[in-house]
Amino acid sequence: MPEDLEKIRKRVLAEGSLKEGGKRVRITVHLGTCGIAAGGDAVYEALKHEIASSGRDDIEVLVSGCAGMCSSEPNITVKIINEDAVLYRDVNAKKMRKIFEGHVMNGEIQTSHALARIKQSDQEGEDHYA
Amino acid sequence: MPDKPPKAEKKENRTKKKVVPYLEDVPFFSHQKLIVLKNKGIDPESIDAYVARDGYRAAAKALIDMTPEGIVSEMKVSGLRGRGGAGFPTGTKWEFAQKAKGEIKYVLCNADEGDPGAFMDRSVLEADPHAVIEGMIIAARAIGAAQGYIYCRAEYPLAIKRLNIAISQARDYGLLGKDIFGTCFDFDLEIYQGAGAFVCGEETALMHSIEGKRGMPRPRPPFPAQQGLWKRPTVLNNVETYANVARIIFKGGKWYSGIGTETSKGTKVFALTGDVKNIGLVEVPMGTTLRTIIFDVGGGIPKKRKFKAVQLGGPSGGCVPEAYLDTPVDYESIAKVGAIMGSGGMIVMDEHTCMVDMARFFMDFIQDESCGKCTPCREGTMRMLQILEKITKGRGEPGDIDLLEELSEVIKDGALCGLGQTGPNPVLSTLQYFRDEYEAHIYEKRCPAKRCAALLKFEVDEEKCISCGLCKKRCPVGAIEWEKKEPAFIDTHKCIKCMTCITNCPSDAIF
């Protein structure tokens, strides 16, 4: 059984990581109760709509729990392959569309809505992952 | 105007790219150390995502390679203490239950988080439910339990949904159920939903509630480790405690005891709320000072106001004034300044908070939630609330403070359970640090923080008034007269004392 755990771990790490030819972008919507109360569901819907109308199939959407800073909710994290992830704050449907268009489609970090960048090395590690 | 920069320069300033800082350079994140919250970015509805973060490897280690005694001794080495508030050493608690005689034993998780302003357990359950389940499996192995219950309040629907998904995934993977990891060890889990009574967070009341009885406490001893749920030996820990267990078993008790202070090991999750810029969930190593949490992590007090006090531990806790802001968070240091560590609620209050009104709020809560079984709590909290209401309404009398203190002592000594025994704490700690505010209410009929409407005149200090007209704009009953460049005037016959003008006045001119 522990071998199975190890197998699952390796498989998920292999499948889950972004790669060329597979998923290249991962967008995490932080939907704890606090995120939902701040309007996170509308952000999530807007994101799904944007992805569908962009026609891209290399974008993965992840729903997770609270990122920690509840007063900056709704939060999303945009991770593009081989780049630092960016945590955005106070997102709404309109800002979500702007971030999608600017950052995901054109690679320009939307600095006015960004809270922090997460170094590549930290993203799969233990500490400071938002 | 000569001061204005030329147009081109202004435009350049505006379009100049703001540099996005790295997470470790943002004070909110940089002072944190994540053990309990380390998985907050993963998909909580996927067991695979948890396994990829070394999930269930600690359970495998505990079941296959360790003896129950070995698990307990590792927990004792770690120094982990109960995160529900009282801070009892977890390893010792498990040892009692392990040594207790009995074929059937139970493992319980207290997820009945009820303190006003506390949301640590909810966030952990919503972000990383498997960590709690894994901690419970390890506890079950340590004491020899085959059944566990998670007592979660019904007000947390998302937490319950994600927990249910996690439990069924763990069953599918054979991590719950019969013969886990092929070790002949059986353990299964169920969620029991609480119906909203605060007292059910007390351990004996919680067990009564699971048994289908009315949620009321009973005297201890016997302690749950000897006679708990259905009179069987039982271990009860809170969500955050269990969320620490898997990391301790995986990385070793010694690693864990290297974090924190001499008597309080590891990290503590706080729900930082109130008059503070960054509201949120913060996990800091034990020993971090209150000042660091409030002013670095929390970013300080908004609206350029002054810090007044921080309330720790909810209705069982107390408040800490500015003079003790350099107190490190550990169980003993916090108790020394008159508060308690509690489950992690941390409410920051600025100068506009009336401490008498704050004490009244918590007493109102305690009085409402008192189950009524024992007289000191049922009658005493009611009397204390009546006195506090009287004081905030301007009818305080000499002798009220003494009576409050006397009642507090009687309730603390005589109440049956923790709810009553700690209920007077908010009153006692505000009396300790802010006695002058009580005295101002009683003897001068004045509320220094200007929060108690009955003690305010609703007049405008013409020297302080900046003639902005905000009060007139916000007044819902049109009681304020104001002309440009003139000070405002409040018609007290029309005024309904709703406080809107006082809350909105930028120059603090209404008294």
Side-chain angles (χ1 to χ4, degrees):
Chain A
M1 197 45 108
E3 297 84 53
D4 292 350
L5 284 179
E6 191 52 29
K7 262 188 229 161
I8 294 169
R9 199 174 76 89
K10 285 196 173 134
R11 171 176 60 77
V12 176
L13 287 179
E15 282 176 5
S17 42
L18 304 174
K19 53 181 169 285
E20 294 297 347
K23 299 285 182 195
R24 293 185 71 257
V25 181
R26 181 189 306 124
I27 303 173
T28 308
V29 188
H30 299 274
L31 287 182
T33 294
C34 41
I36 294 168
D41 278 341
V43 173
Y44 184 50
E45 290 304 317
L47 172 62
K48 283 196 289 190
H49 184 258
E50 284 301 302
I51 294 174
S53 51
S54 73
R56 283 179 62 167
D57 58 0
D58 61 345
I59 301 169
E60 179 183 80
V61 181
L62 189 75
V63 171
S64 81
C66 171
M69 202 199 265
C70 305
S71 50
S72 70
E73 301 262 13
N75 291 128
I76 61 162
T77 306
V78 175
K79 163 71 186 159
I80 298 176
I81 190 165
N82 299 329
E83 284 177 28
D84 290 335
V86 177
L87 177 64
Y88 286 99
R89 64 175 300 160
D90 300 306
V91 184
N92 54 26
K94 195 177 157 196
K95 285 183 195 166
M96 181 69 247
R97 286 190 281 274
K98 201 177 145 204
I99 293 164
F100 189 85
E101 185 62 36
H103 190 174
V104 180
M105 301 300 282
N106 294 317
E108 285 173 11
I109 296 175
Q110 301 298 299
T111 49
S112 51
H113 308 313
L115 177 61
R117 279 187 293 172
I118 304 159
K119 277 187 191 146
Q120 285 229 47
S121 55
D122 288 346
Q123 286 160 22
E124 303 297 335
E126 293 188 353
D127 294 345
H128 302 305
Y129 183 82
Chain B
M1 279 196 276
D3 286 338
K4 223 175 176 179
K7 252 189 180 170
E9 198 185 312
K10 201 176 157 193
K11 196 176 174 193
E12 195 191 328
N13 268 341
R14 201 170 51 211
T15 52
K16 195 178 157 192
K17 284 246 159 132
K18 191 185 118 192
V19 180
V20 182
Y22 279 108
L23 211 57
E24 51 267 40
D25 299 326
V26 179
F28 180 82
F29 296 101
S30 64
H31 291 276
Q32 299 199 43
K33 175 161 184 67
L34 306 183
I35 296 174
V36 172
L37 301 177
K38 76 179 182 74
N39 286 337
K40 64 184 176 181
I42 68 168
D43 180 354
E45 297 184 9
S46 157
I47 189 170
D48 285 355
Y50 181 69
V51 172
R53 293 282 187 107
D54 294 324
Y56 290 108
R57 285 174 77 175
K61 186 177 168 188
L63 265 57
I64 296 164
D65 302 330
M66 293 171 86
T67 60
E69 291 77 17
I71 298 171
V72 164
S73 91
E74 202 66 43
M75 291 305 292
K76 284 172 109 175
V77 168
S78 77
L80 176 68
R81 295 169 65 176
R83 295 290 190 255
F88 192 80
T90 307
T92 311
K93 193 188 250 186
W94 290 12
E95 192 177 31
F96 289 149
Q98 182 188 66
K99 288 187 174 157
K101 289 198 172 77
E103 285 281 295
I104 300 173
K105 295 180 182 179
Y106 294 103
V107 169
L108 307 182
C109 173
N110 188 345
D112 191 51
E113 186 174 50
D115 288 358
F119 49 88
M120 303 76 54
D121 295 349
R122 186 193 72 207
S123 286
V124 171
L125 290 172
E126 284 175 2
D128 198 13
H130 284 286
V132 178
I133 295 172
E134 188 176 5
M136 290 184 76
I137 294 173
I138 295 166
R141 170 65 172 170
I143 69 160
Q147 178 66 44
Y149 293 96
I150 300 175
Y151 190 90
C152 187
R153 61 198 313 232
E155 290 94 329
Y156 285 176
L158 186 62
I160 290 170
K161 180 189 152 210
R162 288 182 180 166
L163 260 177
N164 269 321
I165 293 171
I167 289 173
S168 76
Q169 287 173 338
R171 279 192 196 127
D172 289 346
Y173 273 36
L175 298 163
L176 286 174
K178 300 251 174 252
D179 195 20
I180 302 169
F181 294 122
T183 57
C184 299
F185 175 71
D186 305 339
F187 180 66
D188 209 345
L189 261 181
E190 253 178 65
I191 299 174
Y192 192 94
Q193 292 189 33
F198 179 67
V199 74
C200 287
E202 196 277 340
E203 58 181 11
T204 58
L206 185 150
M207 290 171 202
H208 280 161
S209 178
I210 295 179
E211 290 169 8
K213 296 174 190 149
R214 185 166 169 184
M216 277 184 164
R218 62 157 174 83
R220 294 175 302 181
F223 286 95
Q226 267 78 44
Q227 281 188 32
L229 188 64
W230 287 299
K231 296 207 163 59
R232 308 286 190 179
T234 301
V235 153
L236 171 71
N237 284 119
N238 114 310
V239 170
E240 191 186 334
T241 312
Y242 283 125
N244 274 298
V245 170
R247 290 317 281 171
I248 290 170
I249 296 299
F250 186 65
K251 292 185 106 173
K254 220 173 163 189
W255 161 78
Y256 194 81
S257 68
I259 307 160
T261 67
E262 198 170 324
T263 56
S264 308
K265 303 298 185 191
T267 59
K268 179 78 195 87
V269 181
F270 288 101
L272 188 61
T273 59
D275 302 319
V276 61
K277 277 185 192 146
N278 303 328
I279 288 168
L281 207 62
V282 300
E283 181 173 5
V284 290
M286 292 282 191
T288 308
T289 65
L290 289 170
R291 191 184 296 280
T292 304
I293 298 175
I294 296 165
F295 287 92
D296 295 328
V297 179
I301 317 296
K303 298 184 196 164
K304 292 182 183 164
R305 288 180 179 172
K306 269 197 234 139
F307 171 85
K308 185 166 188 176
V310 57
Q311 214 281 345
L312 295 170
S316 307
C319 58
V320 180
E322 188 162 21
Y324 296 106
L325 265 183
D326 290 311
T327 307
V329 286
D330 72 29
Y331 292 93
E332 280 70 28
S333 308
I334 296 285
K336 237 182 249 169
V337 295
I340 61 162
M341 176 77 90
S343 62
M346 189 179 271
I347 306 170
V348 181
M349 294 173 282
D350 69 15
E351 53 189 327
H352 286 246
T353 313
C354 170
M355 301 314 278
V356 185
D357 190 54
M358 196 272 295
R360 186 203 54 77
F361 168 82
F362 279 113
M363 193 46 71
D364 190 23
F365 182 85
I366 285 292
Q367 186 271 325
D368 200 35
E369 293 292 348
S370 173
C371 77
K373 185 170 180 174
C374 72
T375 319
C377 178
R378 183 185 65 232
E379 305 297 330
T381 56
M382 183 52 147
R383 286 293 296 133
M384 286 186 76
L385 176 63
Q386 284 170 345
I387 296 169
L388 290 165
E389 280 180 343
K390 209 174 74 174
I391 296 174
T392 53
K393 293 212 167 115
R395 301 196 307 270
E397 298 164 75
D400 278 351
I401 294 179
D402 296 336
L403 190 54
L404 278 176
E405 282 175 329
E406 196 189 333
L407 277 166
S408 297
E409 290 312 316
V410 172
I411 298 170
K412 278 178 78 145
D413 290 345
L416 175 60
C417 80
L419 186 146
Q421 286 158 10
T422 58
N425 285 355
V427 175
L428 289 174
S429 84
T430 46
L431 272 173
Q432 184 182 351
Y433 296 119
F434 299 97
R435 202 181 187 91
D436 53 330
E437 282 196 32
Y438 281 84
E439 289 168 349
H441 280 74
I442 295 170
Y443 300 107
E444 300 165 35
K445 307 292 174 208
R446 185 171 65 83
C447 175
K450 297 205 240 180
R451 293 307 310 164
C452 298
L455 294 172
L456 299 174
K457 291 182 184 152
F458 290 92
E459 286 175 20
V460 179
D461 182 337
E462 296 194 358
E463 283 186 6
K464 277 190 181 172
C465 180
I466 53 167
S467 309
C468 65
L470 252 183
C471 52
K472 184 186 163 81
K473 267 180 218 151
R474 299 281 160 86
C475 179
V477 291
I480 297 176
E481 288 162 30
W482 167 79
E483 297 288 333
K484 265 188 189 166
K485 293 184 184 172
E486 292 289 323
F489 172 79
I490 303 174
D491 182 345
T492 45
H493 294 293
K494 283 189 193 163
C495 174
I496 54 165
K497 298 193 171 186
C498 69
M499 310 287 292
T500 307
C501 53
I502 290 185
T503 341
N504 283 295
C505 178
S507 65
D508 212 14
I510 304 166
F511 62 96

